[in-house]
Amino acid sequence: MPYLFYTFADGYFILAMRFFSKERWLERIGELYLQLRLRTPEKIERELSIKYEGQYRNAGLVLLFDVFMALAVVAAVVVLAAILYLFAA
């Protein structure tokens, strides 16, 4: 009986890790990003082969870095505005 339990738990763990793995999320985000931006399959394949080395994961990483960069810019502007507000008050 314990062997069946461990087999089920191991199988569940493997399925969960495949579903929640960061590689899978990056691939899916990259695929959705290119579909929303380019719309046609020919343009998607061309952009994927030229810019992202044929991997949706690379497109997801680029999008993730762009989001982090935008958040960093917003944080820097908020800090600068707070400093200017404190000096002006």
Side-chain angles (χ1 to χ4, degrees), residues 3-58:
Y3 179 75
L4 291 176
F5 175 73
Y6 289 129
T7 303
F8 175 75
D10 290 340
Y12 179 75
F13 180 73
I14 290 169
L15 287 175
M17 290 311 293
R18 282 186 183 170
F19 181 74
F20 291 112
S21 73
K22 63 182 174 182
E23 298 291 325
R24 179 71 182 132
W25 282 100
L26 285 174
E27 287 176 10
R28 187 68 182 142
I29 289 171
E31 185 178 356
L32 289 173
Y33 168 63
L34 289 178
Q35 286 176 356
L36 285 173
R37 197 176 64 137
L38 299 174
R39 308 260 185 215
T40 61
E42 295 82 21
K43 288 182 182 178
I44 291 172
E45 289 301 321
R46 184 170 183 270
E47 182 89 8
L48 194 64
S49 65
I50 292 172
K51 190 172 181 182
Y52 301 113
E53 298 175 359
Q55 295 183 359
Y56 286 112
R57 184 181 63 88
N58 292 343

